[in-house]
Amino acid sequence: MIADGAPGPRPKRWRYAVWLAAVVLFLLNFLRLGIDLFSIALTAIVVALGFAIDHVETYSRRPLKNFLRVVLASFALALVLIVMPVMMGAGLWIGLILWTALSGAALVWCVYYERTELL
């Protein structure tokens, strides 16, 4: 919530460098492996996650910011621990147990942190 007359949040220059590096890496990946539906979907998910992280870091404030960070980290962990092994043909249960434990621990830490730290 920005007060009237106050300048909006300024984008940091390093964010532009991160987006440029991501574009270059995606283009190199497409040139090396070719374009298929899976790579396009994965690229779209990673780009959407990047925009969500940028939006949370730029426009949200504590305590909501920390809870949104936990949600985004949990989503990224789900991609790595559940979706990726299932796509490779591995079992689901170990990744699901790890994802549940890590996401639950992050949520408990976030609740504890927000209750004890001053704004």
Side-chain angles (χ1 to χ4, degrees), residues 85-98:
V86 168
M87 293 299 293
M88 293 187 309
L92 172 72
W93 294 109
I94 297 295
L96 188 63
I97 291 169
L98 281 171

Side-chain angles (χ1 to χ4, degrees), residues 3-66:
D4 290 332
R10 292 184 339 171
K12 300 198 188 301
R13 297 212 184 260
W14 63 268
R15 290 182 182 168
Y16 297 129
V18 170
W19 282 111
L20 183 63
V23 167
V24 168
L25 288 174
F26 284 130
L27 288 176
L28 288 174
N29 188 35
F30 286 146
L31 288 174
R32 188 174 55 108
L33 299 176
I35 296 177
D36 59 348
L37 185 61
F38 179 73
S39 63
I40 291 172
L42 185 61
T43 301
I45 289 171
V46 169
V47 168
L49 185 63
F51 276 119
I53 290 169
D54 189 37
H55 185 75
V56 165
E57 293 299 320
T58 304
Y59 295 108
S60 62
R61 300 173 76 185
R62 272 194 61 209
L64 179 64
K65 181 183 247 184
N66 285 331

